[in-house]
Amino acid sequence: MAGKSLAQVRDVTDVQKSRDKNIHLTEGENLKYTLHSMNLMQLPRLDLKFCKPAEIHQRSLQYFEFCNNDNMKPTVAGYALALGISRSTLTQIVSGVVAIPRDNRDEVERFYTVLNSLIEDYMSDSKINPVSGIFMMKNNFGYKDQQEIVAVDNREENTTPEALIAESNLLLSGDSKKADYEIGKEL
């Protein structure tokens, strides 16, 4: 940290220590997270193309029961693990990229929507970090924070290129009333 004062180095160190406290696992928490995922992994894999919707429903309920018993927030990756597929395959099923029977897809979508609702609830009640929540919503549920601007051509079909040039020149000059008059618009 060449070129920094001792006070600046201490400030950076204090910030790093506070960050580390925010992500520190208490004794036993690592075991809790690991066992939760390992128990999900040991569930028999469902073949979503050939199983019955009732099997998907039962497995989905089982996943949420696991989360409740382990005091864990349900996640998209955890739900995918419980179904025996990857997170990306799950999102592709929901978006229709990967085809499975319609009844099976409907069942998966029902529980996927529950996950979406839960994350919204967690965010609105400040139960998860907003940055994490935004990341999850964008990456798993198609949320966007962008504006779409649609340009609409309101010109009349019989507008000549010369009239367009004259109108743009007058608009650029700042005299919009004169521009309306010059191109033949009634005031």
Side-chain angles (χ1 to χ4, degrees), residues 4-5 7 17 22-24 38 63 67 71-72 76 80 90 96 102-103 108 119 129 131 141 145 155 161:
K4 293 195 182 233
S5 71
K17 283 180 183 176
N22 290 334
I23 59 170
H24 179 72
M38 295 303 291
Y63 169 66
C67 291
N71 196 27
M72 302 282 289
V76 174
L90 177 59
R102 184 69 202 167
D103 290 344
V108 169
I119 292 173
N129 180 302
V131 175
F141 303 106
D145 58 359
R155 296 177 292 175

Side-chain angles (χ1 to χ4, degrees), residues 79-176:
Y79 182 50
L81 186 59
L83 294 174
I85 58 177
S86 70
R87 185 199 64 81
S88 61
T89 299
L90 177 59
T91 57
Q92 290 172 347
I93 287 170
V94 171
S95 66
V97 173
V98 171
I100 63 173
R102 184 69 202 167
D103 290 344
N104 289 2
R105 181 174 170 213
D106 289 346
E107 199 62 38
V108 169
E109 284 177 346
R110 283 181 62 203
F111 285 95
Y112 194 80
T113 303
V114 171
L115 290 171
N116 185 357
S117 175
L118 283 169
I119 292 173
E120 280 189 15
D121 289 342
Y122 292 143
M123 286 187 63
S124 65
D125 289 342
S126 300
K127 298 299 180 190
I128 57 175
N129 180 302
V131 175
S132 298
I134 292 167
F135 178 83
M136 288 184 277
M137 298 300 273
K138 286 181 179 180
N139 286 289
N140 295 311
F141 303 106
Y143 285 65
K144 297 177 183 175
D145 58 359
Q146 69 185 32
Q147 294 179 345
E148 285 191 33
I149 299 173
V150 178
V152 178
D153 185 1
N154 291 327
R155 296 177 292 175
E156 297 174 16
E157 287 185 31
N158 60 356
T159 304
T160 65
E162 293 79 19
L164 291 173
I165 292 169
E167 182 179 8
S168 63
N169 287 337
L170 289 171
L171 288 172
L172 289 172
S173 72
D175 191 354
S176 62

Side-chain angles (χ1 to χ4, degrees), residues 55-67:
E55 293 174 275
I56 295 171
H57 184 86
Q58 186 59 39
R59 177 61 59 83
S60 301
L61 290 175
Q62 189 178 14
Y63 169 66
F64 285 98
E65 186 178 323
F66 267 57
C67 291

Side-chain angles (χ1 to χ4, degrees), residues 28-40:
E29 279 186 319
N30 190 48
L31 179 63
K32 172 185 167 181
Y33 291 108
T34 303
L35 287 176
H36 178 75
S37 292
M38 295 303 291
N39 287 333
L40 292 173

